[in-house]
Amino acid sequence: MAEHIRIEKVFCTDMCMLSPQDEVISRTRKVIKIGDKEVEGWIVELKISSEEEFMPVAYSPDTDE
């Protein structure tokens, strides 16, 4: 299979679990509004290098709700 390389931006709150072959390009502090609640986190720009067709990022669950 050919290697797929792409740039993705994701919003992470506490933690982003990345695949070992992924590279963090930038990380920017961000507050977004969801309904009436403000959520603090990060916009993380990733260089994804994978033979898989899916993005290998897992999001930590929000346990405050």
Side-chain angles (χ1 to χ4, degrees), residues 9-36:
K9 288 185 180 179
V10 295
F11 179 78
C12 300
T13 53
D14 296 339
M15 167 178 40
C16 287
M17 296 177 64
L18 308 175
S19 178
Q21 68 264 24
D22 297 341
E23 177 184 337
V24 175
I25 298 171
S26 68
R27 186 176 75 154
T28 307
R29 196 84 162 123
K30 182 74 174 177
V31 176
I32 63 171
K33 191 168 184 174
I34 300 175
D36 293 333

Side-chain angles (χ1 to χ4, degrees), residues 21-65:
Q21 68 264 24
D22 297 341
E23 177 184 337
V24 175
I25 298 171
S26 68
R27 186 176 75 154
T28 307
R29 196 84 162 123
K30 182 74 174 177
V31 176
I32 63 171
K33 191 168 184 174
I34 300 175
D36 293 333
K37 184 178 178 183
E38 288 189 348
V39 179
E40 294 184 36
W42 300 90
I43 297 292
V44 181
E45 187 174 15
L46 302 169
K47 179 180 177 184
I48 308 291
S49 300
S50 176
E51 293 182 2
E52 303 295 329
E53 291 294 330
F54 61 90
M55 190 169 91
V57 174
Y59 302 97
S60 63
D62 187 1
T63 56
D64 292 336
E65 295 186 354

